[in-house]
Amino acid sequence: MRQREVKIPEGLYKLIEEHLEELGAKSVEEFVVNAARVALQETTNRKLEIDEKEKEEIKRRLRELGYID
Amino acid sequence: MIAPHGGRLIERIAGKKEKEDLLSLRGEYPEIEISRELAFEVENIAVGLFSPLEGFLGKEDFHSVLKRGRLASDIPWTIPIVLDVDKEKAQEIGEGLFLLYEGKPIAWMEVQEKFTYDKDEMAYSVYGTLSEEHPGVVKVKSMKDILVGGKITLLNHVSSPFPKYKLTPKETRVLFETKGWRRVVGFQTRNVPHLGHEYIQKTALTFVDGLFINPVIGKKKKGDFKDEVIIKAYEALFKYYYLPETATMAILQMEMRYAGPREAIHHAIIRKNYGCTHFIVGRDHAGVGNFYSPYAAQEIFDDYPDLGIIPLFFRSFFYCKKCGGVVNEKVCPHEEEHRISFSGTKIRALLMEGKIPPAELMRPEVAKVITEFNNPFV
Ligand SMILES: [Zn+2]
């Protein structure tokens, strides 16, 4: 796996290092990577929209199968 | 509606015109006959159950999945979804390929690359062992030598013995929305339900809007319950003990891999794609024999804070005579002698003799359905 370097302020680094246990991480790197992952997951967590016409077709099938009334 | 894994629901199903166009190319490209298990994978990719995958893994993703349980794009993914072919066939394969199942073309594949791989590395990364006692290891060792990566387009659906329970993620998402379920908990199973399962499901359901029971249908190991037995047993449970307003069921056609922790993540991702917001992980999820410690499949979730589905962890439930009900270690203060455990082995032994297990272990309506089968086991 290729890796890139990112710089962070020393004070912030030290603060993270001091609180590693409470942050649930084994290293500053692990914490930063996971924090970025969570933020990205939330940002890209767009709702899925299905257009109305397709939705009606799906509902018809679900009704036929007895899933909905 | 919760976003699919990777943010976009994949749909790779050919429309009428595209299907005709692709099929007109038959004869110009090589064709390979694939197994039922691989046909399931193809369909699962095509309907978006394996979103964000659009096809079989290429080399970079394959190695990334083995090494770090993530795709090269960093999205969590723990099980390598691959197409294996033998060396002679690989030489014939160029830009495209038809995948046939039972002689019928089920998909077109745009071949991106062909590559060799180390079977021991693959088996060890996924299963954490190289023991030939592990069915997953045996399977990997029997795979063909070349992997072919590339996007697929579904031409025909794979037939199912239970068509009325086969729903695509788009359909389950509309189903949940129509039922007014904002929070939905998914339950993976390859077993007939005993009271321990029912309590886990109902405890989880107490905190969300809907319960989605999702039995895995497909190749299992000897001694597992047959697919139709599992479906019938759940139908009985639904009829007598569940409300249609808060619980529903659909099947997942997929092979069990028994990869324990890694498979638990895979199972959670699939349920996220179905539209579940929560996923139940019990003791020894997707385990086999003693290969994984009982809660390893729960601990692995710590490595995936960005999974995007909330795992609900359960310890084992048991029946306590003193409590007078189904409880677990967290709530029952009584001694071992008062407890009856939901031993799958014990229940199985009784059912094998055609006996109905005690009502503290299994609902009589469920047991009756199972004993009506001559041989309920694979
Ligand atoms: Zn008790």
Side-chain angles (χ1 to χ4, degrees), chain A residues 1-2 34 37-38 41 44-48 50 54-55 58-59 61-62 65 67-68, chain B residues 1 3 68 70 74 164-167 170-171 173 175 177-179 248-249 305-306 308:
Chain A
M1 183 197 35
R2 284 193 296 270
N34 279 341
R37 281 172 174 162
V38 170
Q41 203 284 128
T44 54
N45 201 5
R46 286 182 302 268
K47 290 186 175 178
L48 177 78
I50 300 172
E54 193 176 8
K55 214 178 255 184
I58 292 174
K59 280 186 188 172
R61 174 158 196 256
L62 291 172
L65 294 176
Y67 276 98
I68 52 175
Chain B
M1 254 182 251
R68 5 177 250 138
R70 288 173 180 271
D74 205 60
K164 73 168 183 167
Y165 288 115
K166 198 173 157 187
L167 299 183
K170 249 191 183 165
E171 289 168 336
R173 284 164 175 271
L175 173 64
E177 192 185 70
T178 310
K179 282 182 174 285
T248 195
M249 170 169 78
D306 53 338

Side-chain angles (χ1 to χ4, degrees), chain A residues 48-63 68, chain B residues 1 9-13 46-47 168-175 177-178:
Chain A
L48 177 78
E49 301 296 347
I50 300 172
D51 72 68
E52 286 306 314
K53 191 170 158 265
E54 193 176 8
K55 214 178 255 184
E56 284 315 309
E57 279 166 28
I58 292 174
K59 280 186 188 172
R60 199 175 315 130
R61 174 158 196 256
L62 291 172
R63 230 169 267 129
I68 52 175
Chain B
M1 254 182 251
L9 191 70
I10 300 301
E11 224 178 358
R12 298 203 55 93
I13 306 169
V47 300
T168 65
K170 249 191 183 165
E171 289 168 336
T172 52
R173 284 164 175 271
V174 173
L175 173 64
E177 192 185 70
T178 310

Side-chain angles (χ1 to χ4, degrees), chain B residues 57-181:
Chain B
L57 296 186
K59 193 174 175 180
E60 196 187 2
D61 278 328
F62 175 76
H63 286 292
S64 182
V65 166
L66 294 194
K67 286 205 172 66
R68 5 177 250 138
R70 288 173 180 271
L71 297 170
S73 62
D74 205 60
I75 292 171
W77 197 273
T78 47
I79 299 288
I81 304 297
V82 291
L83 175 67
D84 58 315
V85 300
D86 58 42
K87 281 181 186 145
E88 295 77 62
K89 198 76 202 177
Q91 279 175 350
E92 280 176 43
I93 297 170
E95 289 168 10
L97 166 72
F98 281 101
L99 303 178
L100 313 190
Y101 174 54
E102 293 180 332
K104 210 167 85 174
I106 68 153
W108 160 255
M109 184 170 172
E110 288 165 46
V111 176
Q112 195 180 28
E113 58 189 328
K114 302 179 275 185
F115 54 101
T116 55
Y117 64 110
D118 180 337
K119 291 179 188 174
D120 282 358
E121 185 198 2
M122 177 172 170
Y124 195 79
S125 302
V126 177
Y127 302 104
T129 175
L130 288 176
S131 165
E132 304 267 349
E133 304 283 304
H134 193 298
V137 174
V138 175
K139 169 98 196 270
V140 169
K141 297 227 169 162
S142 73
M143 280 170 62
K144 296 176 190 125
D145 294 329
I146 308 288
L147 298 181
V148 185
K151 293 181 183 180
I152 58 102
T153 304
L154 193 73
L155 300 169
N156 285 297
H157 282 275
V158 184
S159 67
S160 168
F162 315 100
K164 73 168 183 167
Y165 288 115
K166 198 173 157 187
L167 299 183
T168 65
K170 249 191 183 165
E171 289 168 336
T172 52
R173 284 164 175 271
V174 173
L175 173 64
F176 301 160
E177 192 185 70
T178 310
K179 282 182 174 285
W181 298 353

